Amino acid sequence: MDAVPPLYEPVQPHWFYCRRTDTKDSWLPFSMEDSQKLEEAYLSVKEVVVATEGERYDVKLKERRRYAVYWEQAPSEVRRCTWFYKGDKDTRYLPYPEDFSDSLEEAYMIAVTLDEWKRKLEFPTGETVILHNPKLIMHYQPITLQEEWMSSPSEQTRPRTVKRGIENISVEIPDGEPESVDHLVFMVHGIGPACDLRFRSIIQCVNDFRSASLSLLNTHFKKAQDEKRIGRVEFLPVNWHSALHGDATGVDEDIQRITLPSISRLRHFTNDTLLDLFFYNSPTYCQTIVDTVASEVNQLYRLFRQRHPQFTGGVSVAGHSLGSLILFDLLTNQRTSLVEKDAIRVSISLKIRCTSGDMVTLEYKTMKEVLQRMGLEEHIDVFKKEQLDLESLALCSENDLKELGIPLGPRKKILSFMRRRTMLQGTDGNYAFLRSVSTTGAVDYEYFDVGIGQVSINYPQLDFEPQTFFAFGSPIGMFLTVRGLKRIDPSYSFPTCKSFYNIYHPFDPVAYRIEPMIVSDVDIEPMLIPHHKGRKRMHLELKESLTRMSADLKNNVLGSLRTAWQSFSRLPIAALPPVAEGEADPGNSSDKVSAKVEEVETASEEQKEQQNIKIGMLNGGRRIDYVLQEKPIESFNEYLFAIQSHLCYWESEDTALLLLKEIYEKLGVVLEQPQQ
């Protein structure tokens, strides 16, 4: 009997998009879920827009273009890919254009159906594809097409290897994202247009942070994921640098006119990055920066709610470097809702330092308390009748009080009190920072005053109340000190945000602590952030590093080694690994083991004590300062890794895990320790 020819099966397409860089274009696959959605829309033969990649990109099928939703980005080409090629100099297979692929598929179908191979397919451009057999298909190019990138005759004769279908090439298809969003985080960048040592934009860095968080959800929240109790956290970038340095302000042109021509690259770097610090302390440009951040956040928030109408989760903000200071000032100057104001009234907190040095704190929450303090309670009924509260009293003149029948003496007392209150109070009724002011008498007033040392600007309001504020590598503490702030009152919290975390790398030259400004009389170590894979990995990394070192190098770094080892002794107890068999020192006795156990137990108790210390109300009484663990190699030269340490947060899985832990704890989902 004659052999039955193999049956033809249509190729399974997969959708790709093009990422364009300065050097070359690279084609990346959509996730299986997104590719399937695109294919279904393609087969429906309708003009549709398909949301992909967590609805951060829209694909217009008819245009074959992919558009960013939340930020400015040039549209990228999209292809329905079925056939791929790779030349000698290509590191991966690239997709053919769709019409070229259709021609190849038609020739392949005929060859399979007729079982006739070694078919030659010629194109008008002079290119030739030979189908030797189902597993060997080669693409030959004419010399004229190769002259631009071929350098020798031998290279000109080398054909491309051709593959059919995505299953026959090596390509990593990304995992899809859960559709439901549990929480939204806006991330604000610091100085300059680049956010890391690779000079990547805030968009690219936030993409990395989001990818890290998705991976951590798979490992540290797997049970909750499997039970469909959680979805994902969305992170969106907030870019203010382009608005400040754009044509609208003209500041770049003004700076360029006065910039010296020497060491041009360094001066350009300074103008583009470091000057942002000075701009933020300028009334003109500070207003531009703050307005841009607030309007961008509000616009992104409205757009997100529009695209996710079922979203009921919380919203948080995160800022890196100067971005954290911008958010700090914004949150300090937010106003609570009118409903909340009516409920809690206005609280006036005066801290009076008497000549003896004693501190007296007076809390005034109602009109009755104020009048009783001044010994004027007999006038309460008058103010009640006129429906006057503390806010409306601030608007009264002496003539107004006189018309109410208030005698001269009480009038003077009330007006004096209100003048002092107006001087102490900030623009929104909150008392944010503490400083000393000398008066004509023998009394120093230490009080809260929004914006001490700040330029006078109007702070815009956010459309939502943030759940948590995360600061990365933040100079907030330094700026507050330079502004004249001695300490932050323990009772102070942001008007609309009740949680605050100050996260930093120990070698970050820009980062400063917050807790010593609240609790100045006690020396408190910052909370150590656990390694996302536990202490064992770091221990092995250190051991491997030591193995590679020469004896001379070991002698030179003993001092650094001691510092590194001390940092390991402070690691959270939960990250400690079990001692593997054969790793113990033969000379260790049971006494040493007992001593070690006692040391571990003591460290555990100290960790619990440190965690339970109440640090004011900026973070609801919880700890504020959280320090990352340095890598073993970083311990040997902290100066060498200083700049890198300030830019490490975007790729830090430890930082991402801390954010996820705090976000999901409020949702009743507990972090799981992954199996080693």
Side-chain angles (χ1 to χ4, degrees), residues 511-571:
Y512 290 82
R513 293 192 61 186
I514 295 293
E515 291 177 348
M517 301 189 71
I518 303 173
V519 184
S520 57
D521 54 343
V522 181
D523 187 14
I524 304 173
E525 288 288 323
M527 291 297 296
L528 201 64
I529 300 175
H531 192 282
H532 68 283
K533 288 188 177 179
R535 180 178 174 180
K536 184 176 182 179
R537 180 186 178 193
M538 296 189 71
H539 169 70
L540 293 177
E541 286 179 351
L542 180 58
K543 185 176 180 181
E544 291 169 359
S545 299
L546 291 175
T547 304
R548 292 193 298 266
M549 289 182 180
S550 65
D552 290 341
L553 184 57
K554 288 181 182 178
N555 292 332
N556 291 334
V557 300
L558 279 178
S560 297
L561 260 176
R562 292 192 192 98
T563 303
W565 188 254
Q566 289 171 1
S567 71
F568 282 101
S569 67
R570 300 197 310 268
L571 287 172

Side-chain angles (χ1 to χ4, degrees), residues 355-422:
T355 53
S356 60
D358 296 331
M359 183 70 73
V360 180
T361 303
L362 304 178
E363 293 283 347
Y364 300 121
K365 296 183 179 179
T366 64
M367 177 71 77
K368 183 177 180 180
E369 291 180 5
V370 171
L371 295 177
Q372 285 178 339
R373 180 65 190 177
M374 291 187 290
L376 303 175
E377 56 267 24
E378 67 270 18
H379 300 289
I380 290 177
D381 293 337
V382 176
F383 290 105
K384 280 185 178 180
K385 181 181 178 182
E386 298 296 332
Q387 298 182 352
L388 284 174
D389 58 12
L390 290 176
E391 292 301 313
S392 54
L393 182 61
L395 303 175
C396 291
S397 65
E398 184 171 3
N399 287 333
D400 294 329
L401 295 177
K402 187 175 181 180
E403 289 179 4
L404 291 175
I406 307 297
L408 179 61
R411 285 206 309 269
K412 294 298 183 183
K413 283 186 178 181
I414 293 172
L415 291 172
S416 175
F417 169 82
M418 296 310 297
R419 277 197 299 269
R420 186 169 57 187
R421 175 182 179 273
T422 302

Side-chain angles (χ1 to χ4, degrees), residues 182 212-233 653 656-674:
D182 303 321
S213 75
L214 289 171
S215 298
L216 291 167
L217 285 176
N218 293 331
T219 55
H220 291 69
F221 297 86
K222 184 171 178 57
K223 183 179 179 182
Q225 271 197 339
D226 294 341
E227 296 174 353
K228 306 296 183 183
R229 290 192 291 127
I230 64 171
R232 63 184 174 90
V233 177
E653 292 171 301
L657 185 58
L658 177 62
L659 265 67
L660 294 177
K661 175 179 175 291
E662 297 306 317
I663 288 170
Y664 279 107
E665 271 187 359
K666 289 181 170 63
L667 297 176
V669 180
V670 181
L671 179 145
E672 309 160 20
Q673 188 63 34

Side-chain angles (χ1 to χ4, degrees), residues 195-198 200 205 208-209 320 472-473 503-508 628-631 634 641-656:
C195 294
D196 65 2
L197 289 177
R198 287 181 279 172
R200 297 185 304 165
C205 289
D208 270 1
F209 198 90
H320 175 242
F472 304 154
I503 302 167
Y504 61 92
H505 189 285
F507 302 155
D508 188 339
L628 291 165
Q629 300 175 32
E630 67 270 23
K631 296 178 181 177
E634 293 174 344
F641 293 95
I643 296 179
Q644 178 180 320
S645 298
H646 182 58
L647 305 172
C648 73
Y649 307 97
W650 304 112
E651 295 179 323
S652 169
E653 292 171 301
D654 298 347
T655 302

Side-chain angles (χ1 to χ4, degrees), residues 469-480:
F469 169 32
F470 299 98
F472 304 154
S474 174
I476 291 173
M478 180 270 290
F479 269 84
L480 297 185

